């Protein structure tokens, strides 16, 4: 069974323009109760993403601007290096606009991608949500880890019926469809005797 990103995404993705101020980006994140916001151009093409973590740099380095020296703990510096986060985080701390705050290019996924592919991309990139873009690179929505969990919420009967329909289209005779706790198992008992 192939469930796509379009089946579970939120088409009302939060976005800002490159010249949006730091404070306004923070207001959008809080008001929309989201962890990241897409930065788009006038044609709604995605330029990058600003996450809560990008905004937190200002708080993290606030003491530095008040004359106190601050250096992130070794564990934090190593995590950033292993995650491949380039540049000096102090640059983001000093940023005043979405363009200066954003991570670019954005990690994106098309609406027709499977939820399995989306989950793998999130895991590999170490992110909690993906920006969904159409074929032109325009913002189409957002899919979060929580959205991907929706695939497990279908009842067993519905999942089994869907698997059975797909199986009959594949014209496999003798395939047994079993569903338990939302997990579909297809088996062919006759395959071992052929």
């Amino acid at each position: 069974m192939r469930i796509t990103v379009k089946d579970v995404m939120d088409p009302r993705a939060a976005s800002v323009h490159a010249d949006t101020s730091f404070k306004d980006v923070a207001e959008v994140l809080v008001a929309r109760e989201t962890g990241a916001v897409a930065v788009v151009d006038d044609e709604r093409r995605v330029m990058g993403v600003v996450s809560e973590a990008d905004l937190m740099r200002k708080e993290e380095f606030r003491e530095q601007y008040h004359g106190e020296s601050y250096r992130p703990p070794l564990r934090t510096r190593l995590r950033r290096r292993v995650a491949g986060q380039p540049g000096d985080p102090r640059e983001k701390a000093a940023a005043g606009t979405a363009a200066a705050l954003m991570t670019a290019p954005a990690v994106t996924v098309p609406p027709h991608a499977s939820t399995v592919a989306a989950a793998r991309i999130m895991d590999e990139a170490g992110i909690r949500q993906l920006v969904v873009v159409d074929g032109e690179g325009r913002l189409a929505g957002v899919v979060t880890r929580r959205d991907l969990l929706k695939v497990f919420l279908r009842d067993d009967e519905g999942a089994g019926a869907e698997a059975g329909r797909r199986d009959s289209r594949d014209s496999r005779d003798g395939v047994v469809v079993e569903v338990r706790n939302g997990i579909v198992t297809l088996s062919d008992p006759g395959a071992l005797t052929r």
Side-chain angles (χ1 to χ4, degrees), residues 22-134:
F22 179 98
K23 182 177 180 181
D24 289 341
V25 172
E27 285 178 358
V28 170
L29 288 171
V30 171
R32 295 290 299 271
E33 296 180 348
T34 185
V37 59
V39 180
V40 297
D41 65 15
D42 290 336
E43 286 81 42
R44 294 201 38 88
R45 286 189 186 88
V46 176
M47 302 166 54
V49 173
V50 177
S51 70
E52 293 169 321
D54 294 327
L55 295 178
M56 291 304 296
R57 299 288 183 263
K58 193 168 290 288
E59 183 65 16
E60 179 181 356
F61 287 92
R62 185 161 46 123
E63 289 89 3
Q64 177 180 353
Y65 298 118
H66 296 296
E68 298 177 25
S69 63
Y70 171 75
R71 186 167 185 204
L74 177 61
R75 180 174 52 189
T76 303
R77 295 192 314 268
L78 289 174
R79 185 181 69 245
R80 287 181 187 148
R81 184 171 294 164
V82 169
Q85 295 173 336
D88 187 347
R90 289 175 285 206
E91 290 175 17
K92 287 197 179 192
T97 65
L101 287 162
M102 73 181 182
T103 300
V107 180
T108 63
V109 66
H112 62 272
S114 71
T115 54
V116 172
R120 287 181 180 156
I121 292 168
M122 283 184 194
D123 184 52
E124 290 169 5
I127 56 179
R128 293 186 175 104
Q129 68 183 41
L130 280 170
V131 174
V132 183
V133 295
D134 66 12

Side-chain angles (χ1 to χ4, degrees), residues 6 9 14 42 50 58 72 95 117 126 132 139 156-157 160-161 178 190 193:
K6 186 176 182 177
M9 74 178 197
D42 290 336
V50 177
K58 193 168 290 288
V132 183
L139 183 62
D156 289 353
E157 187 176 310
E178 182 182 353
T193 59

Side-chain angles (χ1 to χ4, degrees), residues 153-166:
L153 300 180
R154 296 184 316 160
D155 64 3
D156 289 353
E157 187 176 310
E162 174 65 18
R165 281 194 302 275
R166 293 187 86 96

